[in-house]
Amino acid sequence: MRRFVLIGLLLALGGVSVAIADNAPAAGVLDQNSIRAQLERDEARKGQVDAEVSGLGARRAAAGERLEGRTRSLYRISRAGFAPLAGGFTAMLEHVSRIERMKRLVRTELASLEHLRSHGAALREESARLAVRISSTKAQLTAFAENNARVEEEARMAALFNDAFEKPVIRPADSGRLEYGTIRVHDDETPRSSFATQRGQLVLPVAGSAQVREAHREDGMGVEFVASPGAGVRSAAEGTVVFAGEQSAYGRIVIVDHGDRYFTVYGGLGDIQVREGDMLSRGARLGHTGAAPLYIEVRRGTKSLDARAWLGV
């Protein structure tokens, strides 16, 4: 029975048991490794691009200085006008040749500057695209990690929830009288009434008026109390808290062990004011109702009993 309950709970947690059967986690690990490898490549490429962009500044400055110098030279040569004609035809040809050569050098430097400008713009665009992709990839990996942590936590809580109905409750030999918030921990030596004799006489979990209706959660049948949010929720009988936390099908939930494998289950709580190991008196405060109806089950082991009959409603 314990195994089947755990399998059912894992199925409710988004197909965890199916994923295990299908080796989906292995595929998920491969996907994450592939994504991490792509991230490393993108980060390495972005480093190269950013380094090249940084180096372009010095190259543009050097090209600008060369262009300025050659433009000045072209201007000086051009201002000479026909003065070289006095040196004869050969001198005139050399003068014209120098002017044309200087013009080619100026055009070359202009082309170099334009290339550096366009190449720099292309590199900056690539760096921006890589930055967006790197950010998206990191967010994806974070989502993977958070989802894995959530699945592991839900599986852990499912296992604890299942174990709560079967593991023995270890009570201290001398508990004394302590206080956990509003919960009184009574002496373990106080005589206890057998839970089995309290059928129809259990404390109603919510005081005052509340609509009661039949309901079920996963493998259990119980009742729902529709009460105003913030109403106090009480333990139906004395016992020990064996589970206090969250479970996907029940929301915030407390399970109380009443001995002889009898349990009461309180789901849909707005808040919880007890913790595992707390020993409760009959009617002790467990927490408060929330926006959802308060769900109650009475169980013997993993088998749900007729909650209405046990609560007398």
Side-chain angles (χ1 to χ4, degrees), residues 37-59:
Q38 182 61 53
L39 175 62
E40 290 176 0
R41 289 193 294 271
D42 287 344
E43 288 179 330
R45 174 57 184 164
K46 188 175 186 303
Q48 294 172 352
V49 169
D50 291 344
E52 189 172 354
V53 168
S54 179
L56 282 177
R59 293 173 60 187

Side-chain angles (χ1 to χ4, degrees), residues 146-200:
E146 291 176 348
N147 182 68
N148 289 342
R150 177 185 61 80
V151 170
E152 290 175 2
E153 178 63 14
E154 289 179 345
R156 186 184 72 83
M157 295 299 285
L160 289 174
F161 174 83
N162 184 71
D163 288 345
F165 295 108
E166 296 195 357
K167 67 182 180 182
V169 177
I170 301 175
R171 296 181 174 87
D174 183 14
S175 63
R177 292 181 180 273
L178 303 173
E179 295 287 335
Y180 291 105
T182 59
I183 307 303
R184 184 175 69 85
V185 179
H186 64 85
D187 193 315
D188 196 46
E189 297 178 357
T190 302
R192 301 186 178 192
S193 300
S194 170
F195 187 86
T197 65
Q198 300 180 59
R199 179 183 172 93

Side-chain angles (χ1 to χ4, degrees), residues 274-298:
V274 294
R275 56 190 176 185
E276 293 179 20
D278 285 358
M279 288 180 287
L280 311 176
S281 60
R282 177 181 171 92
R285 179 70 60 82
L286 303 177
H288 296 87
T289 56
L294 177 68
Y295 176 74
I296 306 296
E297 281 183 27
V298 180

Side-chain angles (χ1 to χ4, degrees), residues 30-251:
L30 290 176
D31 289 343
Q32 292 180 57
N33 289 338
S34 175
I35 291 171
R36 289 192 183 94
Q38 182 61 53
L39 175 62
E40 290 176 0
R41 289 193 294 271
D42 287 344
E43 288 179 330
R45 174 57 184 164
K46 188 175 186 303
Q48 294 172 352
V49 169
D50 291 344
E52 189 172 354
V53 168
S54 179
L56 282 177
R59 293 173 60 187
R60 283 197 303 269
E65 289 178 2
R66 289 195 302 270
L67 176 61
E68 182 179 355
R70 284 164 181 168
T71 301
R72 289 177 183 275
S73 297
L74 177 60
Y75 177 72
R76 285 196 302 270
I77 294 172
S78 299
R79 286 194 63 186
F82 294 100
L85 292 177
F89 184 73
T90 301
M92 181 188 70
L93 288 179
E94 290 178 354
H95 177 67
V96 171
S97 177
R98 283 197 299 272
I99 290 175
E100 289 303 317
R101 186 168 60 252
M102 193 57 66
K103 285 182 178 178
R104 286 195 301 272
L105 289 172
V106 168
R107 284 194 293 268
T108 298
E109 294 300 342
L110 283 171
S112 177
L113 274 174
E114 175 58 24
H115 170 72
L116 290 173
R117 185 201 64 78
S118 60
H119 185 52
L123 288 175
R124 284 189 290 273
E125 288 179 3
E126 183 180 3
S127 179
R129 288 195 302 270
L130 286 168
V132 171
R133 192 158 70 186
I134 288 170
S135 178
S136 176
T137 303
K138 287 182 176 179
Q140 189 176 5
L141 288 173
T142 298
F144 266 124
E146 291 176 348
N147 182 68
N148 289 342
R150 177 185 61 80
V151 170
E152 290 175 2
E153 178 63 14
E154 289 179 345
R156 186 184 72 83
M157 295 299 285
L160 289 174
F161 174 83
N162 184 71
D163 288 345
F165 295 108
E166 296 195 357
K167 67 182 180 182
V169 177
I170 301 175
R171 296 181 174 87
D174 183 14
S175 63
R177 292 181 180 273
L178 303 173
E179 295 287 335
Y180 291 105
T182 59
I183 307 303
R184 184 175 69 85
V185 179
H186 64 85
D187 193 315
D188 196 46
E189 297 178 357
T190 302
R192 301 186 178 192
S193 300
S194 170
F195 187 86
T197 65
Q198 300 180 59
R199 179 183 172 93
Q201 301 174 18
L202 297 179
V203 174
L204 292 180
V206 180
S209 60
Q211 178 185 354
V212 182
R213 61 194 184 195
E214 293 183 357
H216 72 279
R217 299 287 189 278
E218 298 299 330
D219 62 331
M221 293 295 298
V223 293
E224 285 182 340
F225 285 77
V226 182
S228 300
V233 178
R234 307 177 296 186
S235 176
E238 62 182 337
T240 302
V241 177
V242 290
F243 184 88
E246 294 195 21
Q247 202 273 342
S248 60
Y250 293 80

